[in-house]
Amino acid sequence: YSSSDDVVELTANNFDRMVLKSDEIWVVEFYAEYCGHCRNLVPEYKKAATALKGVVKVGGINCEQEQSLCGQHGVRGYPTIKIFGANKRSPVDYNGQRTAKDIAESALAEAKKKIKNILGGGSSGSSSDNGGSGSKDVVELTDANFDKLVLNSDDIWLVEFFAPWCGHCKNLEPHWAKAATELKGKVKLGALDATAHTIKAQQFGVQGYPTIKFFGGGPKDRDSAQDYDGGRTASDIVNWALEKFSENIPAPEIVQLTSEQVSKKTCEDKPLCVVSVLPHILDCDAACRNKYLAILAKMGEKYKKKQWGWLWSEGGAQPEVEATLDIGGFGYPAMAVVNVKKMKYSLLRGSFSEEGINEFLRDLSYGRGHTAPVKGASMPKINVVEPWDGKDGQLPEEDDIDLSDVDLDEKDEL
């Protein structure tokens, strides 16, 4: 964006003054110059800025130059668009279509919401009288159900201990409710009235309100609780919780592609699927194959937060997969990353090594790298094959030929 555009360049030096401390509604794009999707958005974003001129401000932040500012707002990918409305400390994430019309309509909806709040009296009271659960997604906890719901579950929990008369608790409530909705399915949020349920409050050393405790996934006890040390806006809570959630994500399994069922289970609902084709066991023995699988396992651990699927096959075992993804034409091992929903894929052109694969996957995670459409716009047929037994390959035994009845001196006439 340039000074001639209606998109305002925002930086760490002017962001607080122009956005957070102003009364204006702002639409802000967090972008990176190398990001292809960001470049595709430019004309539509400029068009939205021009259409909203005088009504809603539109800005852009170059995250390559303003890494700290983007980090403060939990930006994990590009482009990220946030709308700073009535509550500037809790911006709304824009998840609509990347068109000028849809961006403008979302901005106007936020402006209408602000006007409605003002004309309606600007009610800032909590949606419940006790300062606790103001959302159906916040679980009401008690001394009686705490162990069953929290400690004896495998779920990840954030628990607020509050008092009904506590002003800070009432201020936190709408943010807590919003965060609970956004984190649904990943991290559970609960609220416990510490003045009514004193046993649990005392057990976890609650001395002030609100007190927020974190309980990780898996088996838990009273010593499992960790203090929450993040901010108190919905976005702060969500970002903090997602970071903890990602730490609890197990490393993905590197699965052998043995059937259609395995393919669907591993990759169908994943954002990307990493498909590797390793050399035949006769060309690369068990130690050699395990070396490649160890590299893949290490990459799976490194990129586990992406929640990709990981498959591997032996060279020649899945010929239609190799043909569809252009794998194997330049030898094994080889790798392709597939976006099943978009039916696009990208090939590893560098070395099948920890460094080469990491560079390839890193570029893909940033939206870089060359992609091509999957041939036929559908996934190929998967052959049913026996899983590898972990052993070295064995050459097929040749049948012994009995030469006792063959007269080597006779010559057949033509």
Side-chain angles (χ1 to χ4, degrees):
Y1 303 108
S2 66
S3 57
S4 61
D5 299 324
D6 293 317
V7 179
V8 180
E9 182 181 0
L10 296 170
T11 67
N13 293 329
N14 66 14
F15 187 84
D16 283 7
R17 172 175 53 83
M18 297 187 73
V19 179
L20 299 184
K21 294 179 181 179
S22 76
D23 292 327
E24 296 162 310
I25 304 288
W26 276 85
V27 179
V28 179
E29 177 200 7
F30 299 80
Y31 68 91
E33 291 181 340
Y34 62 75
C35 162
H37 293 303
C38 302
R39 290 195 293 271
N40 293 337
L41 175 63
V42 168
E44 290 297 311
Y45 199 63
K46 286 182 179 180
K47 193 186 298 182
T50 301
L52 291 167
K53 192 173 184 180
V55 180
V56 173
K57 292 279 191 178
V58 177
I61 299 174
N62 185 340
C63 289
E64 289 182 281
Q65 298 175 6
E66 304 292 341
Q67 294 181 6
S68 176
L69 181 58
C70 295
Q72 290 173 24
H73 292 279
V75 176
R76 293 171 174 266
Y78 309 114
T80 290
I81 300 175
K82 292 179 181 285
I83 302 176
F84 292 76
N87 186 349
K88 294 295 180 68
R89 296 293 176 180
S90 183
V92 176
D93 288 321
Y94 175 76
N95 296 310
Q97 296 293 316
R98 292 172 182 169
T99 65
K101 181 177 181 291
D102 288 312
I103 294 170
E105 286 181 352
S106 292
L108 291 175
E110 197 63 23
K112 285 182 180 179
K113 190 188 301 181
K114 180 179 179 181
I115 294 169
K116 186 176 179 181
N117 286 341
I118 294 171
L119 294 177
S123 174
S124 58
S126 60
S127 54
S128 65
D129 295 331
N130 62 5
S133 171
S135 164
K136 58 180 173 43
D137 296 321
V138 176
V139 181
E140 183 179 351
L141 297 171
T142 66
D143 284 339
N145 68 14
F146 193 95
D147 287 0
K148 178 182 178 181
L149 295 180
V150 181
L151 298 186
N152 297 336
S153 77
D154 290 328
D155 298 318
I156 303 171
W157 281 84
L158 270 177
V159 177
E160 176 203 2
F161 296 83
F162 69 91
W165 44 259
C166 163
H168 292 303
C169 303
K170 292 179 180 179
N171 292 335
L172 173 64
E173 185 193 355
H175 296 283
W176 196 248
K178 183 179 179 183
T181 300
E182 291 188 28
L183 291 167
K184 195 172 182 179
K186 295 180 179 178
V187 178
K188 289 190 173 182
L189 268 66
L192 183 142
D193 182 347
T195 64
H197 305 282
T198 56
I199 295 175
K200 288 301 170 187
Q202 291 174 3
Q203 182 179 339
F204 293 104
V206 176
Q207 297 180 336
Y209 309 113
T211 291
I212 300 174
K213 298 283 185 178
F214 170 78
F215 298 85
K220 294 177 276 289
D221 55 32
R222 60 178 295 173
D223 296 323
S224 302
Q226 301 175 34
D227 290 330
Y228 171 81
D229 56 4
R232 292 188 180 178
T233 67
S235 60
D236 289 333
I237 296 165
V238 169
N239 290 333
W240 193 95
L242 287 177
E243 189 64 33
K244 290 292 184 181
F245 174 74
S246 66
E247 292 173 5
N248 281 264
I249 296 175
E253 183 182 358
I254 312 301
V255 183
Q256 184 181 2
L257 181 55
T258 56
S259 67
E260 184 86 27
Q261 184 179 4
V262 168
S263 173
K264 288 183 177 180
K265 182 180 178 181
T266 307
C267 287
E268 192 170 48
D269 297 325
K270 298 294 192 299
L272 294 177
C273 186
V274 183
V275 182
S276 300
V277 182
L278 305 182
H280 194 280
I281 194 65
L282 294 177
D283 299 321
C284 173
D285 62 14
C288 169
R289 177 172 289 182
N290 283 325
K291 182 179 177 182
Y292 287 129
L293 290 175
I295 292 174
L296 294 176
K298 191 168 184 179
M299 291 297 100
E301 171 68 29
K302 184 179 181 70
Y303 289 93
K304 67 180 183 179
K305 295 181 183 180
K306 302 293 184 181
Q307 296 185 281
W308 297 338
W310 295 73
L311 290 169
W312 73 272
S313 175
E314 180 178 79
Q318 302 292 350
E320 293 194 30
V321 173
E322 295 183 32
T324 300
L325 302 179
D326 286 329
I327 292 180
F330 45 89
Y332 306 112
M335 175 183 287
V337 175
V338 186
N339 186 320
V340 178
K341 292 180 180 178
K342 295 184 178 180
M343 282 294 149
K344 291 185 176 182
Y345 72 98
S346 183
L347 277 177
L348 169 67
R349 302 290 183 183
S351 64
F352 197 98
S353 62
E354 187 177 325
E355 182 179 351
I357 294 172
N358 180 51
E359 184 177 349
F360 172 57
L361 297 180
R362 185 184 62 217
D363 284 350
L364 287 179
S365 68
Y366 287 149
R368 297 184 294 203
H370 175 73
T371 61
V374 172
K375 295 176 182 176
S378 64
M379 294 309 294
K381 176 187 173 184
I382 309 295
N383 292 336
V384 176
V385 298
E386 287 294 321
W388 179 45
D389 60 8
K391 300 177 182 178
D392 288 334
Q394 298 293 329
L395 288 170
E397 293 185 6
E398 296 182 359
D399 295 332
D400 293 331
I401 301 175
D402 185 2
L403 300 177
S404 60
D405 295 332
V406 178
D407 187 349
L408 299 178
D409 291 331
E410 291 184 1
K411 295 181 180 181
D412 294 330
E413 295 182 359
L414 295 176

